[in-house]
Amino acid sequence: MGRFLLGRITGAGIVLLLKSFVIFALIGLMPGDPLDLMMNANPETTPEQMAHLRAMYGVDLPITQRYWTWLVAALQGDFGYSRIQHRPVLDIIIPALGNTLILTGAAFVLSTTLAVTLGTIAALKRGTWIDRIINLFAFAGISVPSFWLGLLMIYLFAVRLGWLPAGGMPRPEQGFGGMLAHLVMPVMTLVIVETGGLARYARAAMIEVLSQDYIRTARAKGLTDRRMLVRHALRNALIPVLTLVALQLGGLFSGAALTEAMFAWRGMGRLILEAILGNDYNLALVCLMFVTATILIANICADIAYTWLDPRISLGKRRR
Amino acid sequence: MHTVCGMTALLETTNLTVSFGDRAGWFRPAREVLAVRSASIALQAGEVLAVVGESGSGKTTLARALLGLVPIAAGEIRYDGCDTATMTAPQALAMRRSVQMVFQDPFGSLDPRLPVGAIIAEPLDIHGIGSPASRRARVAELLGLVGLAADAAGRYPHQFSGGQRQRIAFARALAPSPRVIIADEPLSALDVSIQSQMLNMAAELRARLGLAYLIISHDLAAVHHIADRVATMYLGRIVEVADVDELFTRPAHPYTAALLAAVPRIGAGKWMPGAALGGDIPSPLAPPTGCAFHPRCPAASSLCATATPEMRAIRAGHDVACHHPLGTA
Amino acid sequence: MTEASVSVWQLRWRRLARDRVALGALSVLVLLYGLCFSAAWIEVWLDVTGVDTDLMSRFDPIDARHWLGSDEAGRDEFTRILRGGQISLSIGLFAAIGSSFVGTVIGATAGYFRGRVDMVLMRFTDFMLAMPALPVLIILAAIDLTKLGFSQDFVRSGAAGYWRIVLIVTLLGWTTVARLVRAATLSLVEREFVLAARAQGASSLRILWVHVLPNAVTPIIVATTLRMGSVILTESALSFLGVGIQPPSTSWGSMLTNAQELMASNPLLAVYPGAAILMAVIAINFVGDGLQSAFDPRADPH
């Protein structure tokens, strides 16, 4: 176990390092460089000043050297400044992380609960109209563009009915009610989009378990208490579902990007979009590294959770 | 057609060793399993040699090594006297043409996505034998040889029964006019009634085409009627080789005797030593010391636990690897 | 067992034809593709244009000519949707096929050669999987191609914008197929019919082409179909954010960008493109689901 974890963490560290370089290089290929933007902001910069700045920022150095400089600073805890907001990157990221956790955490709990419930019902009522309707809803959720759904909701609930704020963050004095009002639409959007795939997965897992020998044996032996049967099957069906959920946890911070942008929710996803679209290189880079790290950590957690739930699988040993 | 490197047996192995290992992981040493240990067998042209043993004895691996499907760790394989390790590419290709295989599972050995005609013609395709038209004619001819209707060529494997599929596999093996057919448990997946049909067909084709067979089997009775010689294999080693009648009447290795005792035979009133073959074949990961059979052997002595017996002739054409061979006192 | 000569594909088609939902979805999809790619003729027939602006007929209501009215620049909304569909639907098709192609090559190579090749390719796949997909797509979509040595003219052309999207969605989308194909290949190369071909001295390419891929084609088809849906969603998101299809070209996603600003006055203009996306993607997903159950080997009569 210890060895396995060590191996996985080393592997994840290497992946993170490689990824930071790839993203660094890709961002370098985006239009303009920091100095072009600086010059646009201050047209009176002279060519001499420009040359000086170029040397100071190291813009003309090869990409590997620039990356090395960035990496050394980052490893010492210096993640640099955001060019647009003129603040240290970490000062921007931490509140954004908090906001994202509130939004996606709420959506996550709701959609997982809903998905497992719907999936179980569909599996038990397999082939009936209830199953078909749940299936249709699941497909609609998988197939709908989240930003369009958000757009329609804003029009309906904010513009036409005026029930909810169109977007943005609640002010502190609005309290819990304000928070709730601002959360309803983005959470609904995320829940609709995320529940579909998970519900279908839960249904398939449940059907698989229900068809297994021990359940059939239990039935044949006269175990007719339906609730007990369901509880028994559910526990086993949850294993693959929870693994998928754990894997999706990694997407928690970037997966909601479009929804956050639609509802002007100041979270990580929106921050990343703004940073990329606004050429805020350093901010984008650090945000993406954060997100990638969470994905890698979530994958390791999923592996561990899987072993806990299913003792047949032992870490690090693969069946031939 | 084929280069002669020196007059010997048609297909021969000397001290052949095949090992399976998994590569060492980051935090784990490599492990090694010797599936075949220093096995020497020789198949003469036109002869039928059966290799028998329990599952796990390494006989399938031996067959696959002969076909070049698994790498060999030590020893050599010679075809027509030429060492396969030093063969030129044309020689190797000629050997692949001349040594064909029939697999155990008639459901697994035919590609479900290909029509039977394409399956049978595959060796011709690979070796570039003939034109498309002549290949079609050859397929029809082969279907006739194995007793199937010519329209079978356009159908798919799943439309045939197990016995018919094994005939298809046989036709494929015959396609490039081989000299040797290696058959790995060719009958074990078939019903008894179909087994005898297949045996008759194999015997007839052998006579007609002058083929040599190397038959891998766990069932001594099944090979009794077709084999000329029998080799017994235990835990990767050849432990006894003799002509079929000699082996059936005077087995020298207690393991062979035990296998024979398990065979129901008409008129078998004689006492057979080692009738009870207790226990399971040991794991090849941790083979016993000395003679690998000694933990299950009724005649084992302290010598058997320490020294590995060498193959030696106890009679003309009868070799055995045992410290205490039966019937020699 | 020896019934009339029915190939596996005929059996599968029969099963699919019994699945009314999948068949209905397939019809919707065929109709959608057909309509979109006949946009030019429909424009002539209705005497409207989905391309040229006409400031005299902005926000026309729905009538016999303008089936869905006209937009803020006086373009006919219905035929504009069809024009946008040409881009969205064809990108879906090309990028899905591209992803499957790349995934098949990588998966089959990893599964066939195993060992170190497999390890390297699978680590690479994991690497791609752990990419935060949308942000990386946006960066790739925003990359300044002149920095990679392409000419200004090429970079500004509509074709470059189109194929750039196809390419980047392909580059990030092959991982699922790669894993499926690898798993299928790993089990197929152990099968005796592959050993039989190897014993003949068949080349690796021949074994992969004749024996492995035809037997792995089922999951590839299903995954490609489902992938089409997600590609259309991704393209629409990128275009909506302004880094996808650029004007004067149009896709369903970029139509929504404009419509968003007119939401308060002309909400219907924001409804149509989104509804088109939803309709296309849901139909694709139902077809994919139908294919999956029609291809299920457990239903094969063996």
Side-chain angles (χ1 to χ4, degrees):
Chain A
M1 183 77 185
R3 261 181 181 177
F4 166 80
L5 264 185
L6 192 72
R8 283 299 304 263
I9 292 169
T10 320
I14 294 169
V15 168
L16 196 61
L17 209 63
L18 278 173
K19 211 157 286 193
S20 69
F21 178 72
V22 170
I23 293 173
F24 191 90
L26 286 176
I27 286 180
L29 287 170
M30 285 173 63
D33 62 38
L35 294 185
D36 290 343
L37 290 163
M38 221 173 271
M39 200 165 65
N40 291 342
N42 183 5
E44 278 145 49
T45 323
T46 65
E48 290 76 41
Q49 283 173 314
M50 275 304 291
H52 179 69
L53 282 171
R54 290 191 92 85
M56 202 177 90
Y57 277 83
V59 179
D60 296 329
L61 292 173
I63 178 115
T64 44
Q65 265 184 44
R66 276 185 286 147
Y67 173 70
W68 182 248
T69 313
W70 178 85
L71 185 68
V72 168
L75 288 177
Q76 291 165 351
D78 173 13
F79 290 100
Y81 275 77
S82 153
R83 246 210 0 266
I84 290 179
Q85 303 200 23
H86 301 292
R87 280 194 297 157
V89 163
L90 278 186
D91 290 2
I92 304 171
I93 289 183
I94 286 164
L97 273 177
N99 288 337
T100 288
L101 265 184
I102 295 171
L103 172 62
T104 48
F108 203 72
V109 171
L110 276 176
S111 66
T112 307
T113 319
L114 195 62
V116 170
T117 313
L118 290 179
T120 307
I121 294 174
L124 292 174
K125 304 271 176 193
R126 194 178 171 188
T128 65
W129 61 271
I130 299 178
D131 183 22
R132 284 199 203 107
I133 287 190
I134 291 175
N135 197 37
L136 184 68
F137 272 106
F139 267 100
I142 297 167
S143 310
V144 74
S146 61
F147 57 93
W148 182 63
L149 192 62
L151 211 61
L152 294 186
M153 276 200 225
I154 292 173
Y155 177 73
L156 187 66
F157 296 115
V159 179
R160 286 304 289 263
L161 300 171
W163 291 352
L164 294 166
M169 303 299 298
R171 287 188 305 280
E173 69 268 20
Q174 288 175 316
F176 187 66
M179 177 62 94
L180 224 53
H182 280 84
L183 269 174
V184 171
M185 286 201 291
V187 167
M188 258 169 71
T189 308
L190 286 175
V191 167
I192 291 174
V193 173
E194 281 170 8
T195 303
L198 208 54
R200 278 178 55 76
Y201 198 77
R203 174 182 181 272
M206 194 70 190
I207 287 174
E208 179 84 30
V209 170
L210 285 175
S211 72
Q212 249 148 36
D213 287 345
Y214 64 95
I215 295 279
R216 278 196 298 215
T217 313
R219 267 190 181 155
K221 277 185 179 163
L223 181 59
T224 47
D225 184 351
R226 206 168 165 75
R227 263 187 309 180
M228 188 145 143
L229 201 68
V230 168
R231 200 185 304 157
H232 197 63
L234 195 59
R235 193 178 302 153
N236 286 287
L238 275 179
I239 294 173
V241 174
L242 287 183
T243 314
L244 187 74
V245 166
L247 281 173
Q248 285 184 346
L249 266 174
L252 210 65
F253 293 114
S254 67
L258 271 173
T259 309
E260 287 184 0
M262 287 308 298
F263 294 99
W265 185 266
R266 301 197 171 280
M268 278 299 276
R270 176 167 179 241
L271 191 62
I272 293 173
L273 291 194
E274 277 182 355
I276 295 172
L277 296 172
N279 282 321
D280 196 340
Y281 304 100
N282 199 42
L283 183 58
L285 187 60
V286 177
C287 286
L288 286 173
M289 292 329 299
F290 247 95
V291 169
T292 309
T294 50
I295 295 180
L296 292 170
I297 292 168
N299 288 357
I300 295 176
C301 292
D303 275 359
I304 295 171
Y306 208 77
T307 347
W308 260 343
L309 288 166
D310 192 344
R312 282 169 305 179
I313 297 160
S314 79
L315 289 176
K317 278 183 211 148
R318 265 172 241 146
R319 290 194 313 138
R320 219 188 76 78
Chain B
M1 187 80 205
H2 43 83
T3 328
V4 178
C5 293
M7 268 323 292
T8 43
L10 182 57
L11 190 59
E12 191 177 10
T13 69
T14 312
N15 298 329
L16 180 73
T17 300
V18 179
S19 78
F20 290 119
D22 46 0
R23 203 175 277 138
W26 280 14
F27 304 103
R28 184 178 51 69
R31 281 178 305 191
E32 196 180 40
V33 179
L34 295 176
V36 177
R37 294 159 178 262
S38 199
S40 303
I41 56 160
L43 178 70
Q44 309 297 331
E47 179 193 36
V48 179
L49 172 65
V51 177
V52 296
E54 290 164 285
S55 59
S57 61
K59 51 201 197 314
T60 294
T61 308
L62 175 67
R64 292 190 176 179
L66 285 170
L67 288 155
L69 290 174
V70 291
I72 61 180
E76 56 185 47
I77 299 171
R78 281 186 307 282
Y79 172 70
D80 241 357
C82 309
D83 185 350
T84 51
T86 56
M87 269 185 180
T88 60
Q91 280 176 329
L93 213 62
M95 175 184 168
R96 286 191 184 282
R97 264 184 71 166
S98 306
V99 182
Q100 290 291 317
M101 177 124 188
V102 173
F103 288 89
Q104 172 175 11
D105 174 13
F107 288 93
S109 67
L110 308 178
D111 188 335
R113 290 269 188 264
L114 291 179
V116 167
I119 291 173
I120 296 176
E122 180 163 42
L124 306 175
D125 261 2
I126 291 169
H127 295 291
I129 302 169
S131 64
S134 74
R135 281 178 206 162
R136 267 196 299 279
R138 176 77 176 141
V139 167
E141 180 195 349
L142 288 163
L143 284 169
L145 271 181
V146 298
L148 289 172
D151 72 346
R155 295 196 285 166
Y156 286 85
H158 73 266
Q159 295 169 286
F160 294 89
S161 68
Q164 288 171 320
R165 288 167 66 113
Q166 204 57 306
R167 286 170 191 267
I168 294 166
F170 213 91
R172 169 175 61 189
L174 291 173
S177 311
R179 299 170 73 197
V180 184
I181 288 182
I182 298 177
D184 184 4
E185 303 270 6
L187 304 175
S188 65
L190 304 177
D191 291 346
V192 178
S193 60
I194 296 168
Q195 283 187 5
S196 64
Q197 288 176 21
M198 290 294 294
L199 278 173
N200 291 340
M201 184 186 83
E204 189 193 312
L205 287 170
R206 174 198 174 197
R208 243 163 99 177
L209 305 171
L211 295 165
Y213 292 141
L214 182 76
I215 297 176
I216 308 288
S217 179
H218 68 279
D219 181 0
L220 269 171
V223 299
H224 188 191
H225 296 287
I226 192 164
D228 299 319
R229 283 191 308 136
V230 179
T232 316
M233 214 171 163
Y234 187 75
L235 215 61
R237 287 182 192 279
I238 304 281
V239 294
E240 184 166 16
V241 184
D243 288 345
V244 63
D245 291 331
E246 165 85 6
L247 190 101
F248 269 69
T249 50
R250 286 193 288 178
H253 199 287
Y255 179 59
T256 313
L259 286 178
L260 279 170
V263 173
R265 277 188 305 166
I266 299 157
K270 284 182 289 182
W271 175 78
M272 277 292 180
L277 184 54
D280 288 321
I281 194 160
S283 162
L285 265 170
T289 54
C291 172
F293 188 59
H294 85 262
R296 297 167 80 191
C297 184
S301 67
S302 56
L303 175 66
C304 301
T306 50
T308 308
E310 294 295 318
M311 272 301 244
R312 60 193 167 101
I314 50 165
R315 274 181 283 277
H318 191 160
D319 295 356
V320 67
C322 180
H323 293 302
H324 315 291
L326 302 166
T328 51
Chain C
M1 193 137 276
T2 45
E3 57 176 77
S5 290
V6 185
S7 81
V8 183
W9 290 103
Q10 281 166 307
L11 284 172
R12 292 175 160 189
W13 171 247
R14 278 185 207 165
R15 272 206 296 276
L16 188 66
R18 275 199 298 271
D19 185 344
R20 274 175 300 163
V21 179
L23 218 55
L26 188 63
S27 325
V28 169
L29 207 57
V30 169
L31 188 73
L32 212 52
Y33 268 87
L35 274 177
C36 287
F37 286 91
S38 358
W41 294 296
I42 293 171
E43 283 178 351
V44 172
W45 173 51
L46 289 174
D47 185 29
V48 293
T49 167
V51 182
D52 300 325
T53 54
D54 175 6
L55 296 180
M56 304 307 290
S57 55
R58 299 174 68 211
F59 303 119
D60 275 358
I62 294 172
D63 60 27
R65 267 182 74 217
H66 297 301
W67 289 5
L68 298 177
S70 72
D71 71 1
E72 76 280 4
R75 296 170 293 214
D76 176 61
E77 181 72 7
F78 177 63
T79 50
R80 191 160 174 75
I81 292 267
L82 299 186
R83 295 251 174 204
Q86 290 182 0
I87 303 243
S88 293
L89 292 176
S90 65
I91 285 183
L93 195 62
F94 290 142
I97 291 173
S99 308
S100 295
F101 179 77
V102 175
T104 302
V105 171
I106 290 179
T109 312
Y112 185 80
F113 293 104
R114 296 191 268 189
R116 290 188 198 282
V117 177
D118 181 34
M119 205 194 74
V120 169
L121 286 176
M122 283 303 109
R123 286 293 83 77
F124 181 50
T125 309
D126 291 345
F127 179 84
M128 296 300 286
L129 263 177
M131 284 279 189
L134 189 66
V136 171
L137 279 168
I138 295 172
I139 295 176
L140 286 172
I143 279 179
D144 182 0
L145 289 178
T146 56
K147 286 192 182 177
L148 290 174
F150 289 96
S151 75
Q152 282 281 355
D153 292 343
F154 171 75
V155 171
R156 296 225 173 108
S157 66
Y162 179 91
W163 290 109
R164 176 211 287 262
I165 298 295
V166 173
L167 190 69
I168 63 177
V169 176
T170 297
L171 284 181
L172 285 181
W174 51 266
T175 46
T176 313
V177 171
R179 294 184 147 203
L180 287 172
V181 172
R182 173 179 175 271
T185 308
L186 276 177
S187 76
L188 283 167
V189 293
E190 296 287 324
R191 298 276 293 273
E192 287 187 337
F193 61 82
V194 171
L195 285 180
R198 273 177 56 203
Q200 300 292 345
S203 66
S204 301
L205 215 59
R206 180 190 163 93
I207 289 173
L208 283 171
W209 186 250
V210 175
H211 296 294
V212 173
L213 289 184
N215 282 289
V217 80
T218 303
I220 299 178
I221 291 178
V222 174
T224 309
T225 312
L226 296 174
R227 178 82 196 131
M228 267 174 70
S230 66
V231 169
I232 291 175
L233 285 178
T234 307
E235 180 275 322
S236 70
L238 289 176
S239 296
F240 178 71
L241 290 169
V243 291
I245 294 299
Q246 305 293 334
S249 294
T250 186
S251 77
W252 290 336
S254 62
M255 287 176 78
L256 279 170
T257 314
N258 297 337
Q260 185 186 17
E261 280 143 34
L262 306 162
M263 198 78 207
S265 55
N266 287 71
L268 280 178
L269 288 183
V271 171
Y272 303 133
I277 298 171
L278 178 60
M279 189 158 74
V281 178
I282 211 170
I284 287 168
N285 282 334
F286 271 120
V287 171
D289 193 48
L291 287 175
Q292 194 147 38
S293 27
F295 288 2
D296 190 343
R298 275 172 292 189
D300 265 345
H302 265 307

